[in-house]
Amino acid sequence: MRKFGFYPKLAARSLRLNGKFYLPYLLSGVVSAAMLYDILFLNMNRGVYAMKGANAVQGLLGFGALVVAIFSFALICYTNGFLMKRRQKELGLYNILGMEKRHMARLLLWETVYSALICILGGILVGILLSKLFLLLLCLVIQADVVFGFEVPAEALAYTAAAFGAIFLLNYLLNLLRLNRVKPIELLKGTESGEREPRTKWVLAALGLITMGAGYFLSIAVSDPLQAMMLFFIAVLLVIVGTYCLFTAGSIALLKALRKNKKYYYQTRHFTAISGMLHRMKRNAAGLATICILSTMVLITVSTTVCLYMGVNDILDQMYCRDVQTYVNHGAPEDLPKVKALYERKAAELGMEMKDFAALCFYAPATAYANNRTRIDPYLAQANGSDVVGDPNDGPMRVYVGCNLPADADASLFAASVEVGTRDLDLSSNWCFTDDCRAGRTDFWASLGGFFFIGLFLGALFLMAAVLIVYYKQISEGYEDARSFVIMQQVGMRSAEVKSSIRSQISLVFFLPLLAAACHTAGAFPMTRRILLLFGLSNTGLFVLCSGLTLLIFALVYYGIYRLTAREYYRIVRR
Amino acid sequence: MPLLEVKNLRKVYTTRLGGTGVEALKNVSFAVEAGEFVAIMGESGSGKTTLLNILAALDRPSGGRVLLNGEDMAGVRERDLTAFRRDNLGFVFQDFNLLDAFTVRDNIFLPLVLAGKAYEEMDRRLQPLAKALGIGDLLNKFPYELSGGQKQRTAVARALITRPAILLADEPTGALDSKASNSLLQNFEALNDQGQTILMVTHSVTAASHAKRTLFLRDGMIYHQLYRGQRTREEMFAEISNTLTVMTAESGEKSHA
Ligand SMILES: Nc1ncnc2c1ncn2[C@@H]1O[C@H](COP(=O)(O)OP(=O)(O)OP(=O)(O)O)[C@@H](O)[C@H]1O
Ligand SMILES: [Mg+2]
């Protein structure tokens, strides 16, 4: 049966022939599959289960896995759509040469099978190779002991394979839909066919302005941290919608307005740039908006998580002032001697020596964050022998008792017996809690370390996606523009002019998303700062520094990508 | 002084591996007077495109000279070449080479915009040209909305808007059906009657029969030339066909010998 092997062979051949397009696609598929496997691996790893503070980390990893899966789906759909568009001409030719649509469906099926196999197997292989590294990184970041041994959880394998199998199946179905919709003549024309000039969509532009404005307004206006946390995702959604609308409608409106100005438009420099951008904006605005949003996501995720991680000591000093501590919120001065006596009794019972003993009543603002713990040292410094410090106008009275213990003493035992003891003390408030701060610190390191890890992990994923989209954009535009530039030279454009025109065109299109992303990050700043307060991080200077550094590093990476893809673009154009 | 003078033109394409190379033009000499309409015919591979590319300053000859208005094109510096070409030569290609991103009007304006002309001047030049070529109603359309003939007439307008000394056309009717070809050739004749010098490479006997003179190229040399003189187009058509038949027969004998 000759026919049986025909489509698999043809599919393999066309994958090879379109290597320039398929390679990045497959590579990003492999990388995202590897990332999914690794995050699942960490989530299911028995060593991680056994770690201190594992609960928080596990939850974060589970959330991360979900994000990676959904994101991989979006990414593969996007690139697949791009590839299909590029290949329409080839498929149209097959069609005219007598390949029916059901045969093409079979060809596409084999291509999908190959791509899926490469991505899943390659991804799992790379994932397994990298898993140990990620595990070490995670341990390092959450300051846990290194987990030894090597495992390959079957569940992680199965989930990864299932998720990517589903993604590719869905993509195949999408391709079939595409195939059914198009007529052969259109297939043959493919990307080359003249695209209708985009209309100016005023409604969309207005909608974009409104949603974007609303998002920024939320960020600036919401002052309560808890509310900020809840409204954050709404603001994000608004800004995403606004970005898409403004990039698609706003850019076209602007370019058309520029074209109306004949004096401006009919100048060598502006003439080709404006018409070229207008021509491709319809298709590319969405790509630019996507790049912008991905960049914003990278910037915000990385800057906040890095900031939290850098500020962790700050937060810990605030939350956990001593090894063991007791707060009575909304307490009264007569509670203080009771708790003090309890500490002394327990210390004697357990035979532990208390150090840096501190006991104080103080007035402080009630806060929703850091679980209402407040840095005690400044109040202690003011105490000057008296038991009550602060201004009643500042907020409710709190009673604080805390002490450090010798390094070999069991702080959790001490804290537990104090905790039990406070229940019989008949205090003036029920809101009394005792911390084992040593355990608290470890837990906190674990969860912030988890945040940090996930932040960097997802940041890397988003960055990869942005790179991929940028690459495809440049390549496809290069092929489109190559012909135009040949023609321009024929009708009298100097090659220096060609070069500068290309440069101005790409750099504008390239740096527009970066600029918008920086703008979004700045706009989100008030809101993210308030959310960080919830975690007890009040060091705005540190956050500004982290955001600035992240932006700087990101801009450098972005510039690197720009240089690389621009070179690829030149190569294509100057063929 | 003739408008264009070609003297002992030679072009050798050397292969990249340093082999013997192809001598696409061996020893071509001819002259074109202002106001002429010349067709160049010849078999595939006889060197027509090569000749046209050299005349267009898109390529440099290996030997011989090309004089435009008595000025040697070899003397034009490389960086002035683009401007020289833009100001003196107009081009029409077989596959139109219009830009999808521009409207018909902007496609036609392109060379003038590149030359830095003011909008009013461009518009002033466009009006009569568009009328003569019958594309006045199409100016706001995009190339993908046009038929082949309309595209080619747009390309002609783009070639002529710089008011070039010579219009060079490489198989301008190659991608057109006979009706569109005819109307384009009538446009050419009309433009020629107004004094436009035209040099056209073509495979089509019909197209050549519209010209005032036909040059025949074979194996990189001028084989023969025919003046139309007072003959009708039908007579000219028969004459050209005969010449081609003889020429093909001879080269057939030669390759068999
Ligand atoms: N860039 C090149 N490098 C090497 N050889 C070339 C090159 N361009 C043309 N030739 C050779 O020069 C000769 C003349 O080619 P040319 O394109 O001028 O022919 P033509 O008369 O235009 O043919 P056609 O009617 O098919 O267009 C041919 O033998 C061709 O193979
Ligand atoms: Mg040719």
Side-chain angles (χ1 to χ4, degrees):
Chain A
M1 278 199 36
R2 183 193 64 87
K3 262 206 138 159
F4 191 76
F6 178 65
Y7 291 101
K9 265 188 212 135
L10 190 60
R13 217 177 65 96
S14 72
L15 282 188
R16 262 204 314 278
L17 278 179
N18 290 294
K20 196 173 192 109
F21 300 106
Y22 271 93
L23 201 66
Y25 168 67
L26 293 176
L27 213 62
S28 66
V30 167
V31 172
S32 38
M35 287 182 102
L36 183 62
Y37 170 79
D38 279 327
I39 201 158
L40 286 168
F41 160 82
L42 293 176
N43 186 237
M44 292 163 185
N45 189 286
R46 266 175 287 136
V48 178
Y49 264 115
M51 282 176 194
K52 289 178 190 164
N55 271 345
V57 177
Q58 297 278 331
L60 278 171
L61 288 170
F63 166 75
L66 193 68
V67 174
V68 173
I70 292 174
F71 197 75
S72 308
F73 174 66
L75 187 64
I76 289 176
C77 275
Y78 178 89
T79 38
N80 172 65
F82 171 88
L83 289 173
M84 281 304 285
K85 216 185 255 158
R86 278 232 55 96
R87 294 200 43 213
Q88 281 189 358
K89 201 165 184 170
E90 181 192 338
L91 291 179
L93 196 61
Y94 284 145
N95 190 227
I96 285 171
L97 294 178
M99 191 187 276
E100 291 166 41
K101 278 192 177 167
R102 61 199 171 91
H103 295 143
M104 274 191 233
R106 219 191 280 176
L107 177 70
L108 288 181
L109 178 65
W110 278 105
E111 288 182 15
T112 312
V113 168
Y114 286 142
S115 316
L117 281 180
I118 292 174
C119 289
I120 294 173
L121 295 181
I124 285 176
L125 191 72
V126 173
I128 289 174
L129 290 177
L130 289 180
S131 60
K132 189 75 193 171
L133 182 71
F134 277 118
L135 186 57
L136 286 177
L137 266 179
L138 181 67
C139 292
L140 185 76
V141 157
I142 67 177
Q143 301 209 327
D145 297 330
V146 172
V147 182
F148 290 102
F150 190 83
E151 45 177 321
V152 178
E155 270 189 324
L157 292 180
Y159 282 150
T160 309
F164 275 79
I167 290 173
F168 278 100
L169 183 67
L170 259 166
N171 262 306
Y172 176 61
L173 295 178
L174 281 176
N175 286 348
L176 285 190
L177 270 182
R178 275 197 196 103
L179 202 60
N180 256 329
R181 267 206 316 260
V182 236
K183 300 169 191 70
I185 182 74
E186 286 169 11
L187 274 179
L188 198 58
K189 280 189 195 156
T191 46
E192 310 277 314
S193 71
E195 287 208 18
R196 217 145 279 281
E197 185 175 66
R199 267 178 221 295
T200 317
K201 298 184 192 103
W202 292 110
V203 182
L204 208 59
L207 185 73
L209 268 182
I210 292 170
T211 45
M212 182 98 95
Y216 273 65
F217 175 77
L218 273 186
S219 167
I220 293 163
V222 176
S223 58
D224 180 55
L226 259 182
Q227 228 179 349
M229 179 85 146
M230 286 187 300
L231 289 176
F232 184 69
F233 288 99
I234 295 181
V236 167
L237 266 178
L238 283 173
V239 170
I240 289 179
V241 171
T243 307
Y244 274 102
C245 292
L246 277 186
F247 266 83
T248 38
S251 58
I252 288 167
L254 178 72
L255 289 168
K256 281 204 166 170
L258 287 177
R259 196 174 60 175
K260 279 236 174 70
N261 183 345
K262 294 212 156 63
K263 282 241 153 44
Y264 180 85
Y265 176 55
Y266 288 111
Q267 283 177 27
T268 312
R269 243 174 321 147
H270 307 140
F271 191 57
T272 48
I274 291 177
S275 56
M277 283 199 294
L278 199 52
H279 181 58
R280 62 167 60 127
M281 244 332 158
K282 192 165 106 193
R283 231 168 334 132
N284 290 353
L288 289 182
T290 310
I291 294 171
C292 167
I293 285 166
L294 285 173
S295 309
T296 313
M297 273 154 71
V298 174
L299 286 173
I300 292 185
T301 323
V302 173
S303 66
T304 46
T305 48
V306 167
C307 177
L308 272 180
Y309 195 66
M310 304 275 281
V312 70
N313 278 320
D314 220 35
I315 302 172
L316 286 175
D317 285 350
Q318 168 165 348
M319 283 174 62
Y320 301 120
C321 315
R322 296 286 187 275
D323 285 347
V324 177
Q325 65 185 19
T326 303
Y327 276 98
V328 185
N329 289 338
H330 298 274
E334 52 275 21
D335 298 332
L336 187 63
K338 295 182 194 167
V339 182
K340 247 165 118 173
L342 177 68
Y343 265 68
E344 274 150 13
R345 200 170 69 238
K346 289 296 175 190
E349 268 174 31
L350 297 170
M352 294 178 192
E353 186 197 342
M354 295 197 289
K355 293 190 290 189
D356 308 318
F357 187 75
L360 196 68
C361 299
F362 63 100
Y363 296 99
T367 50
Y369 36 94
N371 209 7
N372 235 323
R373 298 178 185 86
T374 306
R375 190 183 293 254
I376 192 72
D377 298 333
Y379 292 103
L380 273 179
Q382 291 171 38
N384 231 344
S386 81
D387 278 348
V388 181
V389 176
D391 180 353
N393 294 327
D394 281 351
M397 167 169 283
R398 310 221 198 132
V399 176
Y400 174 89
V401 175
C403 69
N404 286 333
L405 294 171
D408 57 345
D410 184 348
S412 71
L413 178 65
F414 191 97
S417 48
V418 169
E419 169 95 62
V420 174
T422 51
R423 286 183 207 145
D424 307 324
L425 281 184
D426 188 25
L427 299 170
S428 54
S429 158
N430 283 330
W431 196 357
C432 163
F433 55 88
T434 304
D435 292 324
D436 165 8
C437 297
R438 286 183 187 166
R441 282 202 182 96
T442 324
D443 277 358
F444 205 74
W445 267 108
S447 54
L448 279 196
F451 264 116
F452 182 57
F453 183 80
I454 295 285
L456 292 187
F457 197 88
L458 292 183
L461 184 69
F462 298 154
L463 189 65
M464 180 187 79
V467 170
L468 194 72
I469 293 174
V470 164
Y471 175 81
Y472 277 134
K473 236 179 69 55
Q474 290 297 97
I475 296 256
S476 60
E477 281 172 19
Y479 281 106
E480 275 169 30
D481 292 352
R483 195 177 145 265
S484 306
F485 279 111
V486 170
I487 297 173
M488 300 232 212
Q489 276 170 302
Q490 285 170 343
V491 296
M493 194 181 233
R494 289 190 192 86
S495 63
E497 282 172 341
V498 170
K499 216 168 178 176
S500 78
S501 151
I502 291 177
R503 193 172 313 123
S504 71
Q505 213 176 118
I506 3 184
S507 56
L508 186 68
V509 164
F510 215 85
F511 289 108
L512 195 71
L514 183 66
L515 204 71
C519 199
H520 284 350
T521 312
F525 187 84
M527 206 166 205
T528 37
R529 191 182 65 85
R530 289 197 185 96
I531 292 173
L532 286 181
L533 276 180
L534 275 184
F535 292 89
L537 191 106
S538 51
N539 191 341
T540 307
L542 179 70
F543 187 37
V544 172
L545 185 73
C546 287
S547 304
L549 274 180
T550 314
L551 184 61
L552 186 73
I553 292 172
F554 183 78
L556 283 177
V557 172
Y558 196 78
Y559 183 70
I561 302 165
Y562 164 72
R563 289 298 297 267
L564 279 179
T565 52
R567 203 164 55 196
E568 189 69 18
Y569 177 93
Y570 279 125
R571 253 222 312 271
I572 295 167
V573 170
R574 326 204 108 229
R575 230 176 350 160
Chain B
M1 183 178 63
L3 176 64
L4 179 76
E5 216 176 339
V6 176
K7 287 184 182 163
N8 311 106
L9 204 61
R10 245 167 55 82
K11 177 69 188 180
V12 182
Y13 288 113
T14 41
T15 48
R16 202 171 295 174
L17 297 172
T20 44
V22 183
E23 197 170 19
L25 297 176
K26 284 177 185 142
N27 185 6
V28 175
S29 302
F30 65 95
V32 179
E33 299 292 336
E36 267 200 293
F37 180 2
V38 180
I40 297 179
M41 297 198 78
E43 288 175 19
S44 178
S46 56
K48 304 182 297 289
T49 300
T50 307
L51 175 63
L52 213 60
N53 282 345
I54 292 174
L55 297 184
L58 289 168
D59 207 349
R60 295 275 193 182
S62 316
R65 297 201 297 163
V66 179
L67 305 176
L68 190 70
N69 276 322
E71 186 190 353
D72 194 339
M73 278 185 8
V76 182
R77 280 178 305 176
E78 194 71 40
R79 62 196 168 97
D80 298 331
L81 213 55
T82 309
F84 174 83
R85 194 185 307 141
R86 197 172 56 208
D87 298 339
N88 295 293
L89 306 164
F91 273 105
V92 180
F93 304 92
Q94 178 173 353
D95 44 5
F96 325 128
N97 283 359
L98 297 179
L99 289 168
D100 285 335
F102 291 107
T103 58
V104 167
R105 172 184 285 111
D106 290 349
N107 261 295
I108 298 173
F109 280 170
L110 188 60
L112 292 185
V113 173
L114 293 172
K117 289 271 187 299
Y119 174 72
E120 292 73 27
E121 166 71 12
M122 296 195 268
D123 202 47
R124 206 163 41 241
R125 288 192 190 190
L126 176 64
Q127 293 315 325
L129 204 53
K131 214 169 121 211
L133 289 164
I135 50 172
D137 300 336
L138 307 173
L139 292 177
N140 289 321
K141 296 205 171 202
F142 283 86
Y144 59 86
E145 296 170 304
L146 301 185
S147 73
Q150 291 166 335
K151 281 188 202 175
Q152 196 58 298
R153 277 178 278 152
T154 304
V156 173
R158 184 179 66 186
L160 291 178
I161 198 147
T162 55
R163 299 184 175 154
I166 302 187
L167 178 69
L168 299 170
D170 192 357
E171 297 184 34
T173 58
L176 303 181
D177 63 20
S178 61
K179 193 158 159 272
S181 295
N182 262 325
S183 90
L184 183 76
L185 289 163
Q186 269 154 23
N187 286 143
F188 273 14
E189 274 190 282
L191 288 164
N192 179 241
D193 287 343
Q194 288 162 29
Q196 177 67 52
T197 315
I198 301 175
L199 191 72
M200 167 178 78
V201 163
T202 183
H203 275 286
S204 144
V205 180
T206 319
S209 67
H210 282 263
K212 284 187 183 158
R213 175 156 64 119
T214 304
L215 289 172
F216 296 88
L217 212 58
R218 199 186 70 184
D219 300 333
M221 288 192 284
I222 302 280
Y223 167 80
H224 188 59
Q225 62 174 329
L226 280 178
Y227 280 93
R228 180 162 160 191
Q230 296 308 311
R231 275 176 280 201
T232 63
R233 275 203 30 235
E234 285 72 23
E235 289 166 350
M236 196 59 190
F237 186 97
E239 192 80 18
I240 295 171
S241 301
N242 280 338
T243 312
L244 282 178
T245 317
V246 174
M247 190 168 86
T248 338
E250 276 183 20
S251 60
E253 274 165 28
K254 222 173 70 177
S255 63
H256 280 132

